[in-house]
Amino acid sequence: MTPRVLVSDQLSPTAVQIFKDRGVEVDYLPDLGKDKDALLAVIDRYDGLAIRSATKVTEKLIAAATKLKVIGRAGIGVDNVDIPAASRKGIIVMNTPFGNSITTAEHAIALMFAVARQLPAADVSTQAGKWEKNRFMGVEITGKVLGIIGCGNIGAIVATRGVGLKMKVIAFDPFLSADRAAHLGIEKVELETLFQRADFITLHTPMTDKTKGIIDARAIAQMKDGVRIINCARGGLVVEKDLAEAIRSGKVAGAGVDVFETEPAKESPLFGLENVVCTPHLGASTEEAQENVALQVAEQMSDYLISGAVQNALNMPSISAEEAPLLTPFVKLAEILGSFVGQVTEDPIKAVEIVYDGAPGAMNTRALTSAALAGLLKPLMQSVNMVSAPLMAKERGIIVSEVRRDKSGVFDGYIKLTVTTEKFSRSVAGTSFSDGKPRFIQIKDINMEAEIGRHMLYTTNHDEPGVIGELGTVCSKNNINIANFHLGRNAKGGDAIAMIYLDEPVDDAVMAEIRGLKKIGQAKLLSFDV
């Protein structure tokens, strides 16, 4: 039966033709996405739904979509799609994460020029016949320090443009390697150093718990007087009221803002301030970018509906139906091992080695490695998935290697993941038993067998009496229940670790108290999707 796709938002005619040329029946109804009741009434007729941002794919809509197999978003953001609901229904959600990278990077550069030379205000003044030549004294770009927060795909393009403009480019990105920075011709720095040195700061990092509000009053206080700030990434990265106050005080000389904490932005503390250039989320708004993402989503959806090929899926690993029963438990294991290392490692990662011993070595290790990298990168890049993780690692200069070998231990098969940073190497190994549940079997070369819990407190210490007692005292005092725990050490009086299972996550104050215990080395609260 011929698959049928609904296009409910504006999409290029060329993209619509791609569906037809690939043998997919397509209904192009670009205004239907704005009418949720009308869309709800017809959605059960379609195998695929192609959208932009106007269509809201809610849990209610997904429940009514009895035939739907794939949702394709022409663009990056999928805030308008209930991905958990789609996953539960077995619907693949795809996006086109790289189709508008150049466009967004160019918009950031354009805003930098506009702020540096006060172009919008000068235009309004001149067209009003005022000729206020002395009022609009700008600054040169050449020779200035450009600080880039987030040097992934878009940030790297901005970096090369900045180098071409003869700027001194510095970047903060936990996943940017020294080799990658050298290749781009830029300097990798810590965030505080970037704040202290940059004349212009531009943000190109995803929104995560760690990056939300990354520019606030505290951060601005560390910056140079007269700094100029550009944000074409996500509105919540910048605390608008803090930036507005800094502009009014003169600490910040200007800002270019394309994204806002609340959108559509009908009001903002930044509106009306002198030398603040605001645009209505235009980062991806060029003819080329809109065409690129439209063509890509049509190709991806057609490939899936006709041949089953999956590209840029946000909620599905690339696993065939034949290998799924054996592979799926090890995919989960690989993701958890990566997540463990990603949560306990704060230094930039240079290399990742994954050893597949025994049974996993005979499997689709490409899928397993993608799962491990997705888990590793997710603590800082929440939108990363099995499809995008290998590319994200490559862009950040992380060297990834696989080793397959025959069974060498007591387990039928296991996976060992080792990351290398500038300062150390850290490893974790795990296996999956017949029950399909993943388990840790070694951490930092210390043998231990531990199931994976949703909330786990991981600590390191020198092996000596009283450590667990102190941890238990802190938890008891704060009414925190310990469900279980596992201990391990490499030798009597040597290095030791503990994995403590908690019913609920603990707050920052309790974690600070735990880290303050004299006998505790590292202490991390870990969360796993189990």
Side-chain angles (χ1 to χ4, degrees):
M1 187 173 179
T2 302
R4 188 179 182 187
V5 166
L6 170 64
V7 179
S8 59
D9 289 335
Q10 291 288 340
L11 215 63
S12 162
T14 307
V16 175
Q17 189 61 44
I18 286 175
F19 283 118
K20 295 177 180 178
D21 292 344
R22 299 286 182 93
V24 177
E25 184 180 345
V26 57
D27 291 337
Y28 182 57
L29 304 171
D31 295 322
L32 190 62
K34 301 173 184 176
D35 188 337
K36 62 181 181 180
D37 292 330
L39 178 60
L40 189 67
V42 301
I43 193 62
D44 63 344
R45 305 174 190 174
Y46 297 96
D47 302 285
L49 175 64
I51 63 172
R52 286 193 185 275
S53 58
T55 299
K56 309 303 180 187
V57 186
T58 63
E59 185 174 10
K60 183 178 180 180
L61 183 69
I62 290 169
T66 54
K67 293 176 57 180
L68 201 63
K69 300 179 181 68
V70 59
I71 299 165
R73 165 69 162 98
I76 298 177
V78 287
D79 295 344
N80 54 324
V81 180
D82 190 330
I83 294 179
S87 300
R88 288 192 297 271
K89 196 81 177 289
I91 300 169
I92 297 173
V93 181
M94 300 175 170
N95 68 348
T96 54
F98 307 114
N100 56 17
S101 298
I102 290 176
T103 293
T104 303
E106 288 184 352
H107 194 65
I109 296 294
L111 282 178
M112 183 170 67
F113 274 109
V115 172
R117 301 303 296 270
Q118 304 178 64
L119 298 180
D123 171 67
V124 171
S125 171
T126 304
Q127 294 207 41
K130 296 182 180 180
W131 201 256
E132 298 176 295
K133 186 174 182 178
N134 293 331
R135 175 187 168 192
F136 300 108
M137 183 63 65
V139 296
E140 289 186 355
I141 298 291
T142 302
K144 296 298 191 298
V145 177
L146 173 61
I148 300 174
I149 300 176
C151 201
N153 193 45
I154 296 173
I157 296 171
V158 173
T160 59
R161 302 301 191 267
V163 171
L165 292 168
K166 307 299 182 184
M167 302 183 81
K168 169 65 177 176
V169 182
I170 60 178
F172 166 74
D173 187 320
F175 294 105
L176 178 66
S177 69
D179 290 343
R180 174 65 171 165
H183 177 75
L184 292 171
I186 66 177
E187 180 185 353
K188 185 182 76 167
V189 298
E190 296 299 322
L191 186 60
E192 288 187 0
T193 302
L194 184 146
F195 287 153
Q196 292 163 5
R197 290 175 55 188
D199 300 297
F200 292 84
I201 295 175
T202 180
L203 296 106
H204 301 286
T205 184
M207 173 77 82
T208 69
D209 292 339
K210 292 186 177 181
T211 61
K212 184 177 181 180
I214 195 169
I215 291 187
D216 57 8
R218 180 178 175 276
I220 292 170
Q222 301 175 60
M223 298 177 189
K224 281 184 175 181
D225 291 344
V227 67
R228 291 167 170 83
I229 297 171
I230 310 298
N231 186 13
C232 291
R234 289 289 181 266
L237 298 174
V238 177
V239 179
E240 291 178 11
K241 64 180 181 61
D242 292 351
L243 177 57
E245 179 57 36
I247 290 171
R248 282 192 290 267
S249 71
K251 173 69 176 181
V252 175
V257 183
D258 186 50
V259 287
F260 295 85
E261 292 174 341
T262 301
E263 294 185 0
K266 301 298 184 181
E267 56 184 27
S268 167
L270 299 169
F271 290 172
L273 295 179
E274 190 168 352
N275 206 23
V276 174
V277 181
C278 296
T279 53
H281 208 143
L282 298 180
S285 296
T286 64
E287 294 178 3
E288 294 86 350
Q290 296 303 302
E291 185 78 359
N292 287 341
V293 295
L295 301 187
Q296 286 177 23
V297 80
E299 291 170 352
Q300 291 174 191
M301 292 179 68
S302 298
D303 286 345
Y304 174 68
L305 291 170
I306 298 299
S307 67
V310 177
Q311 301 177 63
N312 295 325
L314 297 171
N315 62 342
M316 178 184 175
S318 300
I319 302 172
S320 68
E322 293 76 18
E323 63 188 353
L326 289 175
L327 189 59
T328 298
F330 284 95
V331 166
K332 189 64 179 177
L333 171 65
E335 183 179 8
I336 285 174
L337 296 179
S339 178
F340 172 84
V341 178
Q343 291 182 75
V344 302
T345 304
E346 297 180 352
D347 294 319
I349 296 170
K350 294 176 60 180
V352 177
E353 181 188 75
I354 307 174
V355 175
Y356 298 106
D357 186 284
M363 297 179 180
N364 177 359
T365 57
R366 182 177 180 182
L368 296 176
T369 297
S370 296
L373 293 174
L376 180 68
L377 299 176
K378 185 160 282 188
L380 282 175
M381 305 171 62
Q382 292 180 352
S383 62
V384 73
N385 58 72
M386 285 182 59
V387 175
S388 62
L391 181 59
M392 297 295 185
K394 182 179 179 180
E395 287 178 346
R396 282 154 179 78
I398 300 174
I399 300 170
V400 180
S401 60
E402 296 181 6
V403 177
R404 302 188 193 204
R405 66 190 186 197
D406 295 334
K407 180 178 178 294
S408 63
V410 298
F411 300 101
D412 290 337
Y414 66 85
I415 300 173
K416 183 174 183 178
L417 186 149
T418 302
V419 299
T420 302
T421 72
E422 298 279 358
K423 300 177 181 178
F424 59 81
S425 290
R426 175 173 285 140
S427 65
V428 59
T431 191
S432 179
F433 291 160
S434 58
D435 60 5
K437 294 181 179 180
R439 288 169 171 82
F440 294 120
I441 59 173
Q442 190 183 83
I443 297 174
K444 294 179 65 177
D445 294 323
I446 297 174
N447 293 329
M448 67 183 307
E449 184 182 323
E451 293 184 9
I452 315 299
R454 182 173 294 276
H455 308 293
M456 304 183 77
L457 175 63
Y458 165 72
T459 65
T460 64
N461 61 281
H462 183 72
D463 181 46
E464 60 179 301
V467 176
I468 297 301
E470 288 187 356
L471 287 171
T473 298
V474 172
C475 290
S476 176
K477 183 177 67 173
N478 290 280
N479 198 31
I480 296 166
N481 189 48
I482 295 177
N484 199 352
F485 65 88
H486 289 281
L487 308 176
R489 66 182 184 181
N490 57 13
K492 183 178 179 180
D495 293 331
I497 58 176
M499 296 292 286
I500 299 172
Y501 301 72
L502 304 176
D503 289 336
E504 301 291 339
V506 299
D507 60 29
D508 292 342
V510 175
M511 286 304 300
E513 188 174 355
I514 291 171
R515 293 189 182 103
L517 296 174
K518 291 183 179 180
K519 295 182 179 181
I520 295 296
Q522 186 181 27
K524 285 281 187 177
L525 178 65
L526 309 179
S527 297
F528 298 103
D529 182 16
V530 294

